[in-house]
Every structure is written in C-alpha cells, then in structure tokens.
Amino acid sequence: MSKVLDELLELLKLEAIEKNIFRGQSQDYGLGRVYGGQVIGQALSAARQTVPRERHVHSFHSYFLREGDVNLPIVYNVDCIRDGKSFTTRRVVAIQKGRPIFNLSASFHIQEEGFEHQDDMPPCQDPEGLISDQALKNKMKDFLPPSVQEVFQAESPIDIRHEEPSNPYVPEKCPPLTKVWFKAAGKLPDVSGVHKYLLAFASDMQFLPTALFPHGVRFLQPNLQVASLDHAMWFHRPFRMDEWLLYSIDSPTASGARGLVRGQIFDQQGRLVASTMQEGLIRQR
C-alpha cells in the first residue's frame, strides 16, 4: 500500500471526541483548500459509526458551504434523525472555526432482494494499456512554474487513467464526456464501508471539469473560478475500490455560472455499482 493511501485510510477512521461527535485531519493536495472528496469520505465515516453494522449506506446528498482550511481539524457532528425498520437516516455537519463548511444527509438500508436492471457499460479500453495520471503529470511539468511542480506531481492515493487524456494547459473544445478508470493505489481491507468512503472520495475527482470541455477552457486557467456546490451519490451493488472501476461522466447542461455533471461507475465485469451527480460553480472572472 502506498504511504499516501495509508495516511488517507487513517484520516477516514476519525477520532471520537464525544457521543456522535468526531474529529478529522486533512491531507494537503496543493489545492489551497480541503479537497471536497475528503470531507465527503470523512462525513460518511462519521455517520457510519452511529449506524448498526448490518445497515449499509445506499445514498447521500451533500452541500459544500465554505472552503475548508487544510491546516485545521474538522469537527463532524452527527444528527441521528431516524432509525426505522429498514432504513436509517443521518445528517452530518462539518465544522471549522465554529462555522459549518459542509453538510451531508445519508441513508442506510438493510440488505433486501428485489428487481434488477441496469444501463449497459459503455465501450471502453482496458485500463492496463492506458498511461497513468501520474505519468501524464510528469510529462506536463514543464508547463508549470518550479514553485508548484512538486505539489502538482505529489503522489495520489488513487491510481487514475484517462481513456482520452487532454492537456489542461492547452485547452481545446470537445464534447462534455469523460471516461476514466481508477482504483486505490494499494490493497484495501475487506470492510465494505472503507471501499465506499474511498469511492466517494474519488468520485469528486475528474468530475466538474467535464462541464468545461465544450467551451475550450480548463479548470486551471487563472480567469476561472471552479468549485463544487453539491454532490450526490447512490450505491447500487457491491464492489472493491482496489480493483479497476470505470467512471463514465457527461455534462448535460451549463447555465447561470453553474454546470451540471453526472456519472456512472462500472466494475470490470460491466456491473453498474454507483451513480453520481454534481452541480458546480463555473465563473469567469
């Protein structure tokens, strides 16, 4: 297991400081703020620790309220809204400096049998034949000033491979579609919750920038303000985050300085394991 993945797994465990109150630290990914996927993963972890073991998260809906400071701990307050016969509902508020920076509502469900159908997996290349995101970053380092090259090339806990990689410093207009493979950069424990926290963590990567593709711009351009506003996710079938998963993303619309993206996540056997949606701020300065 990579060092940075091991550190992330430790961060997702959280520290219990009172009943239904937890504290987490942050990894610095060079964004100048807390990465949204980390807060999602930690909030899910906090909620899960208040739920009976036989119930598993099947969906969550969340809002990003303020930027998080990577140098300060984050406190997660869990509100145990409902414990029903089949479903359990939790609300989590993430707090820094006495103010909420994020909130999440999650629903947990017992395992039940029912009807089955799904969309087909789109045609795709084999991930083992694709160049890694880390190798692409190494190729693009000359576009960056020396002061930020080290941050840009920092190790990631997720191995990412684009089917059709593009250079964010040489933007071109293209359809708002992305297909990317990813998996954890190491072997994970056989704990379903850990795999879900990490998939939620990774689902915020490569997501909102897809809404920029038709406009010939990329999120690293200095005249753009790009930030996630909300994030929703549904878990459909069991999966392993240390095995390859295909993230198929499209953006059906952008308007009013906001863009909408949606994603489907498939395993290598073609099973649809999760779905995502997000709206984000896309503002030209």
Side-chain angles (χ1 to χ4, degrees), residues 240-257:
R240 291 194 64 90
M241 189 58 199
D242 51 8
E243 297 177 354
W244 286 115
L245 298 171
L246 177 71
Y247 202 5
S248 178
I249 304 166
D250 75 299
S251 175
T253 185
S255 64

Side-chain angles (χ1 to χ4, degrees), residues 8 29 35 37-38 157-158 196-205:
L8 175 58
Y29 296 99
Y35 164 57
Q38 176 203 295
I158 308 297
K196 288 183 176 180
Y197 310 154
L198 277 179
L199 183 58
F201 172 92
S203 70
D204 195 33
M205 296 176 169

